[in-house]
Amino acid sequence: MKSATKNKIKKPLGEQIFDAANIVFMVLIILIMAYPMLYVLSISLSSANEVNKGGFFLLPREFTIDAYTIVFKEPGIPRSYLNTVLYTVGGTFFTLLFTSMIAYALSVQDFVFKKFLTVYLTITMFIGGGMIPSYLLMKELHLLDTYWVIVIPGCVGAYNVILFRTFFKGNAMELREAAMIDGASEFRIYLQIVVPLSTAIFATMGLFAAVGHWNGYFSHLIYLKSSEKFPYQLILRRLLNSVADLTNAKELDNEMAQEALRNQKYNAKNLQMAAIFIGMAPILCVYPFVQKYFVKGMFVGSLKG
């Protein structure tokens, strides 16, 4: 009996070969994706002498965190980091709020302007206003060089609205009629029924929006003039350019960095890698907690309704 049970449970040889090949393939993909991050971290935590030797870096050599100390003492870094956090939090919040509210309205069958808004949003997927008209519009609205010029424009995308609407129609609309019979308003239905049942799509689209705002660069360069409003990405660009080689050390505002580079206590690559890792660390910390919602958020809603 035991042998018969084992034979029933045992997978066919073809499936076993496929599973083994799949595991090997996924391990290779993980190594390919993980090595650049480990390389950046290892270089930033290694001494200048070891970095100058070159070679394969998987772990830090002669561990030191002085490169991070230099980067954080660079004028503008703390402020720009805070600006990036504010842009990311605010931009993600307004993206989720406006997108989900529009999607909820479009998911209601008897909404009066449903057809008009659907056509309008679809047109925006194929036709864009362009950079110059967008700049002139921001200027007329007196939004240039303000916090709102980063978080408001572009917070509603047609593709995101479609994803939200599809998810709502497949998961929450069944309860809407029952709630309305009990006297619930549309706003209460949205807050107490739709939002709690749509955690997956909110988490998925929220991460996408957060990554976009965190890595945002071009719109900040176009719309912002005051350096105190610059995000970390713009300061990172200046820092990377200024430490491209030791001859450019004089361009750094940080006297400690100038002295360190002149004495070759640290080289340019130390500072570059430290600055890069500081920029990508928050996303790396947040991603594992949201990853579990990806499959459900992206596919469940598209398969229902």
Side-chain angles (χ1 to χ4, degrees), residues 92-292:
T92 302
F93 172 77
F94 286 113
T95 296
L96 294 179
L97 177 65
F98 295 149
T99 302
S100 62
M101 293 183 73
I102 294 175
Y104 171 71
L106 294 179
S107 65
V108 176
Q109 193 65 32
D110 54 352
F111 179 53
V112 178
F113 300 103
K114 179 179 179 179
K115 185 175 181 180
F116 170 76
L117 285 178
T118 301
V119 173
Y120 178 81
L121 289 171
T122 303
I123 292 174
T124 63
M125 296 179 68
F126 301 97
I127 302 175
M131 183 178 67
I132 295 178
S134 299
Y135 181 87
L136 295 176
L137 176 63
M138 296 302 107
K139 183 178 180 180
E140 290 298 321
L141 294 175
H142 304 287
L143 292 177
L144 291 180
D145 201 29
T146 65
Y147 171 80
W148 302 108
V149 77
I150 302 300
V151 301
I152 295 298
C155 65
V156 176
Y159 179 74
N160 294 340
V161 172
I162 293 173
L163 288 178
F164 268 98
R165 183 192 65 180
T166 306
F167 194 93
F168 291 165
K169 290 176 69 174
N171 292 273
M173 289 300 103
E174 292 87 349
L175 300 175
R176 176 176 176 271
E177 293 184 5
M180 293 192 70
I181 293 175
D182 291 337
S185 63
E186 296 287 3
F187 190 69
R188 185 175 180 181
I189 294 172
Y190 167 77
L191 286 180
Q192 297 186 357
I193 297 179
V194 175
V195 174
L197 290 176
S198 305
T199 305
I201 191 67
F202 272 92
T204 302
M205 303 311 298
L207 182 61
F208 288 160
V211 171
H213 280 285
W214 186 270
N215 294 328
Y217 167 77
F218 187 72
S219 60
H220 304 74
L221 188 63
I222 298 298
Y223 296 134
L224 298 179
K225 299 179 181 179
S226 304
S227 58
E228 62 270 14
K229 295 185 177 71
F230 283 174
Y232 181 75
Q233 300 300 332
L234 290 183
I235 303 299
L236 176 62
R237 173 178 174 270
R238 186 188 70 180
L239 183 63
L240 294 180
N241 289 337
S242 63
V243 298
D245 54 62
L246 296 179
T247 60
N248 289 333
K250 60 184 180 180
E251 298 180 13
L252 281 170
D253 296 328
N254 189 340
E255 295 182 2
M256 182 179 177
Q258 293 181 34
E259 185 65 25
L261 290 173
R262 281 195 295 267
N263 296 335
Q264 296 190 7
K265 185 178 179 182
Y266 312 103
N267 62 15
K269 187 172 282 190
N270 282 107
L271 301 181
Q272 289 175 335
M273 297 304 177
I276 292 172
F277 191 79
I278 290 171
M280 68 181 184
I283 299 299
L284 293 177
C285 294
V286 172
Y287 181 82
F289 297 99
V290 187
Q291 183 184 13
K292 63 181 179 180

Side-chain angles (χ1 to χ4, degrees), residues 35-57 61 64 66-68 70-71 236 239-249 252 257 260-261 264-278:
Y35 175 67
M37 293 184 290
L38 292 176
Y39 178 81
V40 170
L41 180 61
S42 298
I43 292 290
S44 66
L45 295 174
S46 299
S47 65
N49 293 332
E50 293 297 327
V51 174
N52 290 331
K53 294 178 182 178
F56 180 83
F57 273 81
R61 304 175 187 171
T64 177
D66 291 336
Y68 289 90
I70 292 176
V71 170
L236 176 62
L239 183 63
L240 294 180
N241 289 337
S242 63
V243 298
D245 54 62
L246 296 179
T247 60
N248 289 333
L252 281 170
L261 290 173
Q264 296 190 7
K265 185 178 179 182
Y266 312 103
N267 62 15
K269 187 172 282 190
N270 282 107
L271 301 181
Q272 289 175 335
M273 297 304 177
I276 292 172
F277 191 79
I278 290 171

